Amino acid sequence: MPVMPVGACMIAETAQKAGHEVRLLDLMFEQSPLKSVEEALKGFKPDVVGFSIRNIDNNDMQSPSFYIRELLPIVETVRRKTQANIILGGAAVSVMPEALLRYTGATLAVTGDGETVFIGLLERLSGNRSLTDLPGLAWMEEDKFRSNAQDPSTEGCQCWCPDFYRWIDVGAYIKRLATVPLQTKLGCSFKCIYCTYRKIEGSKYRLSDPQEAVEAIIGLASRGLRHIEFVDNVFNSPYDHALSICELLAKKRHGASLQSLELNPLFIDDILITAMERAGFSGIGITVESASEEVLSGLGKGFSAEHIYKAAEVIKRHKIPCLWIFMTGGPNETRETLTETLKFAENYIRPQDVAFFGSGIRLYPGTGLESLARQQGVLSLTPQDMLEPVFYISPTIEYGWMQKMIRDYMGRHMNFINTDSIGFSILLPIHRLGHKFGLRPPLWKHTRFIRRSLRFFGMDV
Ligand code: B12
Ligand code: SF4
């Protein structure tokens, strides 16, 4: 599913509001990105070219795709055609700023809350002022990486949406069943050992006003953008914030269909799920990762297997479709713990719901998992060499056996999927065809039907 470039649109809109002349080139559907860039630069001489880089790779250990390789010729084209300062931004850059600066040879990188930093940067560039004390900026100086940390706790969180129609071809996304991203908070206070999200948004919650979130949803729906997805790191933490948003939404006739794939089992109860149903949620995702106590504690999830079983009981009492997300091969994973997780999925997940199994965990520099992998002797790459995808599998389990077990369960349960399923090339035409025939997001609700139909045509994914 193509993801609408909300960050890029926010940056463009903020810069325009600050009085700059801005153009946004969305390369998502361009057949020939280099030509499109050259075309866009004809007769336009920008002082600054910002790149919004969302994904480093596809996070898929089985069939890894390293997207940054495709970025390089684009950056080179811009460098060849303009004198502009090249600025990198986006989630990928906050995750690995040094590696990306080195890889692309770009002048500067913006980390953290892009809109604030970028406007400050433009002001300084136009006034020829020094950049080196601007919080949130990173750059290379004589082959040394320099950065000014931004203190995320000093910035608030506003829940706002850019005017997508102004910046991108919205129809092209909608036709491919994309959802419209909306963020109601920043930060996460959990400490999962593999996670980079705190690096992007900080470890302290910054909450938007729930009323603002409701107004944003009403505004989007009134402009035909009805399939809205909350892109918070965790939607239901803090619990009261999520509950307030849902309760306020339930009182309004907004016409939107809502989704969040980032629910923490620790905060799932009947009150919240009822409120979500009343608010207009058409699907939810619970990121449980594992149903084994040992693995959950190895991952530092901050909840226990008991919470997962309780969450499953709650879900059973409701109608809302649910996607359960698992991450296998983490610290302490063994044949027994994986079997425990698969048995949980078999016995506790309703057949109409979906279970997704990822295998292996993407390793990022600066995480607890990186240190653990080094201690266990399974990682020897330097942090900069970790830009190309590298994954962790616990030495206590064999990858091949794990894959086979998951596939065995998938053979028995048509509502189970793995990374091969979501990376399957035929999914793209299915999205478009589905939309033509009136299907609306989320597509995962139709997993059983899709898998059965594909199997009928000899494609077992
Ligand atoms: C929600 C989410 C999803 C949802 C998206 C739903 C939707 N409709 O948008 C779903 C579940 C579908 C998803 C899927 C995937 N995701 Co995801 N996702 C996120 C998450 C949690 C939030 C993204 C978001 O929308 N943030 C809100 C917006 C406003 O922020 P933003 O885009 O980052 O923009 C801000 C800054 O980055 C900056 N900025 C952005 N552009 C620019 C440009 C310039 C010039 C400047 C200066 C600044 C700047 O300013 C903006 C405002 O502050 C992030 C983690 C995170 N906390 O960021 C991961 C994250 C982006 N995802 C990631 C990945 C890997 C994926 C998948 C590949 C996973 C998979 N195997 O399927 C897919 C790819 C989907 C796709 N087509 O791109 C990675 C990307 C890094 C990496 N390892 O490659 C992240 C960072 C998580 C991680 N592992 O660290 N994702
Ligand atoms: S709860 Fe989610 S966002 Fe927070 S640290 Fe854990 S994995 Fe990261």
Side-chain angles (χ1 to χ4, degrees):
M1 182 189 89
V3 160
M4 287 168 74
V6 58
C9 294
M10 285 168 94
I11 298 296
E13 200 154 303
T14 317
Q16 190 181 50
K17 282 187 183 150
H20 301 280
E21 187 191 341
V22 185
R23 296 198 192 171
L24 193 148
L25 176 64
D26 181 9
L27 295 175
M28 181 72 83
F29 306 112
E30 296 298 329
Q31 295 297 326
S32 154
L34 290 184
K35 268 202 193 134
S36 310
V37 171
E38 285 181 5
E39 207 52 46
L41 288 173
K42 276 187 191 152
F44 181 54
K45 297 265 166 287
D47 299 313
V48 169
V49 174
F51 282 84
S52 180
I53 314 168
R54 186 187 194 278
N55 304 324
I56 301 169
D57 58 277
N58 61 350
N59 248 324
D60 181 352
M61 184 168 177
Q62 185 80 357
S63 325
S65 258
F66 179 49
Y67 302 128
I68 302 300
R69 197 167 286 132
E70 295 162 41
L71 171 72
L72 211 52
I74 305 176
V75 173
E76 270 157 16
T77 305
V78 171
R79 198 178 285 127
R80 211 167 9 90
K81 296 270 173 193
T82 72
Q83 301 288 314
N85 282 294
I86 294 178
I87 320 284
L88 308 182
V93 179
S94 291
V95 173
M96 291 180 78
E98 179 174 356
L100 276 162
L101 278 171
R102 285 189 189 279
Y103 196 89
T104 58
T107 329
L108 300 159
V110 165
T111 60
D113 300 350
E115 59 279 51
T116 327
V117 187
F118 193 59
I119 301 308
L121 176 61
L122 294 183
E123 268 169 23
R124 288 179 187 218
L125 284 173
S126 20
N128 251 336
R129 283 162 46 208
S130 159
L131 302 172
T132 50
D133 58 338
L134 182 67
L137 199 68
W139 68 99
M140 296 303 296
E141 201 175 285
E142 289 166 6
D143 205 41
K144 284 224 161 60
F145 175 70
R146 306 269 181 224
S147 73
N148 287 325
Q150 188 188 25
D151 178 4
S153 58
T154 57
E155 307 288 335
C157 173
Q158 279 182 331
C159 186
W160 68 285
C161 252
D163 176 6
F164 288 109
Y165 290 101
R166 158 77 180 82
W167 302 108
I168 55 173
D169 179 0
V170 173
Y173 285 88
I174 302 295
K175 258 195 253 164
R176 290 164 175 88
L177 294 183
T179 51
V180 181
L182 182 71
Q183 197 171 39
T184 74
K185 72 172 88 63
L186 287 159
C188 178
S189 64
F190 285 83
K191 295 187 171 59
C192 309
I193 68 162
Y194 53 88
C195 184
T196 54
Y197 291 23
R198 283 162 287 140
K199 222 170 159 183
I200 305 172
E201 298 175 11
S203 53
K204 247 180 147 181
Y205 287 118
R206 290 175 282 157
L207 309 177
S208 68
D209 177 353
Q211 191 60 46
E212 241 173 47
V214 174
E215 276 154 27
I217 287 165
I218 295 172
L220 286 169
S222 71
R223 302 202 62 201
L225 298 172
R226 292 204 174 80
H227 296 277
I228 299 168
E229 179 162 350
F230 292 100
V231 292
D232 303 358
N233 294 328
V234 182
F235 176 69
N236 60 340
S237 170
Y239 178 91
D240 289 343
H241 187 250
L243 190 61
S244 307
I245 293 175
C246 295
E247 284 174 350
L248 286 171
L249 278 168
K251 290 184 198 144
K252 302 274 179 190
R253 287 168 68 103
H254 50 74
S257 156
L258 308 169
Q259 180 182 208
S260 166
L261 293 184
E262 317 272 353
L263 294 188
N264 186 318
L266 199 53
F267 308 107
I268 288 186
D269 62 13
D270 287 301
I271 297 172
L272 182 68
I273 301 298
T274 306
M276 291 177 92
E277 286 174 326
R278 287 192 186 138
F281 273 77
S282 55
I284 54 171
I286 309 183
T287 38
V288 283
E289 320 299 16
S290 169
S292 145
E293 205 60 67
E294 289 89 337
V295 179
L296 290 172
S297 107
L299 291 169
K301 288 304 298 177
F303 55 78
S304 70
E306 196 192 332
H307 293 111
I308 294 169
Y309 284 88
K310 271 196 186 146
E313 294 299 344
V314 172
I315 297 302
K316 274 188 192 158
R317 291 194 284 272
H318 294 263
K319 288 211 166 70
I320 193 161
C322 183
L323 168 66
W324 295 80
I325 300 157
F326 298 93
M327 183 191 255
T328 64
N332 306 336
E333 189 85 276
T334 59
R335 288 185 174 204
E336 289 70 39
T337 60
L338 182 66
T339 311
E340 212 177 324
T341 296
L342 289 165
K343 288 255 172 269
F344 164 81
E346 181 161 64
N347 297 323
Y348 285 82
I349 295 182
R350 302 174 300 189
Q352 68 270 31
D353 288 337
V354 181
F356 166 75
F357 297 94
S359 300
I361 308 178
R362 173 64 157 102
L363 273 163
Y364 296 102
T367 57
L369 192 61
E370 182 205 12
S371 315
L372 180 72
R374 291 193 191 285
Q375 265 169 38
Q376 292 180 335
V378 293
L379 176 72
S380 54
L381 295 171
T382 66
Q384 300 334 313
D385 288 337
M386 291 162 73
L387 188 62
E388 286 205 33
V390 45
F391 295 86
Y392 176 87
I393 289 279
S394 171
T396 47
I397 192 158
E398 314 83 59
Y399 183 64
W401 185 87
M402 207 168 86
Q403 292 292 88
K404 189 184 162 304
M405 272 298 269
I406 295 172
R407 284 228 63 100
D408 281 357
Y409 273 74
M410 282 172 64
R412 296 206 292 275
H413 301 280
M414 296 314 276
N415 59 332
F416 287 13
I417 48 174
N418 66 1
T419 39
D420 288 346
S421 326
I422 63 165
F424 194 47
S425 57
I426 212 155
L427 265 190
L428 285 172
I430 289 179
H431 275 103
R432 298 194 68 166
L433 208 69
H435 186 265
K436 257 195 190 136
F437 286 103
L439 221 70
R440 293 296 174 259
L443 187 71
W444 56 259
K445 280 199 290 195
H446 309 285
T447 295
R448 273 196 304 178
F449 172 73
I450 296 171
R451 278 200 67 207
R452 277 205 189 108
S453 311
L454 289 176
R455 196 186 242 193
F456 181 76
F457 291 106
M459 290 173 275
D460 196 9
V461 284

